[in-house]
Amino acid sequence: MERRITVGSLQEHNISLWVGTTPTTEWPTLGEDINVDVAVIGAGITGLSVAAKLKQSGAQVAVIEAGRIASGATGYTTAKVTSQHNLMYADLLENAGEEQARQYSGANEAAIAEIARNIDHLGIDCDFHRADAHVYTSDPDQV
């Protein structure tokens, strides 16, 4: 018998540290049409960072979130930001080429630098620090 597991069902049974230890927030449901320059869908770290940047540049922004802020992918992370995503670069090199792999790396490094700037600029006490990342295998066929 096949059993489907959805992210929602996993989240109901495995509450992350971040979601389980932060206070909930209440924001009103949008009750009327509004006009904005940009609607950002999703209030995780990426959506909120994009919205803040757009707002700083003078845009009128609405952030649309179906659930609790930062409770989806962001709320269920290991609380690290990285440009080292498993074997993504090997896949990119093989399937898209060196230039695309470099662009992907550059975009990720720029995102990390932006997060570091925001932490510094806003004085966020979050124990952010840089550390080396390593990829390893215990399978000799995967070296």
Side-chain angles (χ1 to χ4, degrees):
M1 180 167 124
E2 182 180 291
R3 179 164 184 238
R4 291 191 112 151
I5 298 175
T6 64
V7 171
S9 69
L10 289 175
Q11 289 175 347
E12 290 170 16
H13 301 292
N14 300 302
I15 301 300
S16 81
L17 174 68
W18 318 121
V19 172
T21 60
T22 56
T24 59
T25 55
E26 296 279 333
W27 297 98
T29 301
L30 184 61
E32 61 190 42
D33 291 347
I34 61 172
N35 290 312
V36 294
D37 298 318
V38 180
V40 175
I41 309 301
I45 192 168
T46 302
L48 293 175
S49 295
V50 167
K53 260 315 212 202
L54 288 164
K55 185 81 174 149
Q56 290 168 2
S57 72
Q60 278 192 304
V61 182
V63 178
I64 312 297
E65 172 58 53
R68 181 176 167 192
I69 292 173
S71 67
T74 295
Y76 284 82
T77 68
T78 57
K80 69 173 176 22
V81 290
T82 182
S83 60
Q84 171 65 333
H85 303 131
N86 296 320
L87 299 176
M88 175 60 76
Y89 294 101
D91 291 341
L92 283 170
L93 284 168
E94 183 178 325
N95 297 308
E98 185 175 341
E99 181 58 29
Q100 295 292 347
R102 286 186 190 283
Q103 288 178 1
Y104 180 82
S105 172
N108 279 279
E109 287 295 316
I112 293 168
E114 180 69 16
I115 289 168
R117 276 191 299 277
N118 287 338
I119 290 167
D120 191 45
H121 174 73
L122 298 171
I124 299 170
D125 182 13
C126 64
D127 199 27
F128 177 83
H129 63 275
R130 294 189 181 266
D132 293 336
H134 304 276
V135 173
Y136 67 92
T137 181
S138 59
D139 180 352
D141 293 334
Q142 296 295 315
V143 175

